[in-house]
Amino acid sequence: MSLQMFFRSTPSDDVVDQNRNMLSRSARFQPYFQDHSEKVEKDDAVRCVIGKANPDRAMRDEKYAERLERKLIKALK
């Protein structure tokens, strides 16, 4: 088994920005991006959660959106 499986890759800035723009269109995620804009720009943990998210799936699947919202709240604290 490779050790590479255990290392998390960080998403690129382009992917994070693209996902943030797509998620901010949703009323569910808008307050988090507006109220915590500085943390979204600077904090690596928050950027990782946003970069790893699948915004298309979050728009379609309510359960996935709830899980993503919980992860985002946890990273923002």
Side-chain angles (χ1 to χ4, degrees):
M1 198 168 4
S2 173
L3 287 177
Q4 245 178 350
M5 289 176 45
F6 297 107
F7 294 113
R8 297 178 86 186
S9 63
T10 57
S12 69
D13 290 336
D14 295 335
V15 172
V16 172
D17 292 336
Q18 182 182 15
N19 288 356
R20 184 186 64 209
N21 290 336
M22 291 180 73
L23 289 172
S24 66
R25 293 183 203 145
S26 169
R28 171 180 232 130
F29 295 104
Q30 279 180 354
Y32 301 113
F33 293 127
Q34 291 172 354
D35 297 342
H36 304 284
S37 60
E38 187 174 316
K39 266 195 168 182
V40 170
E41 292 294 324
K42 307 271 184 197
D43 192 7
D44 289 335
V46 176
R47 292 183 63 78
C48 187
V49 169
I50 295 170
K52 298 274 185 179
N54 184 345
D56 293 328
R57 185 173 175 194
M59 300 300 170
R60 300 189 311 262
D61 188 0
E62 189 68 27
K63 284 188 177 185
Y64 181 80
E66 288 174 7
R67 278 186 275 142
L68 179 58
E69 185 177 18
R70 283 194 303 260
K71 286 181 184 180
L72 187 59
I73 291 169
K74 186 176 178 182
L76 286 169
K77 289 186 178 182

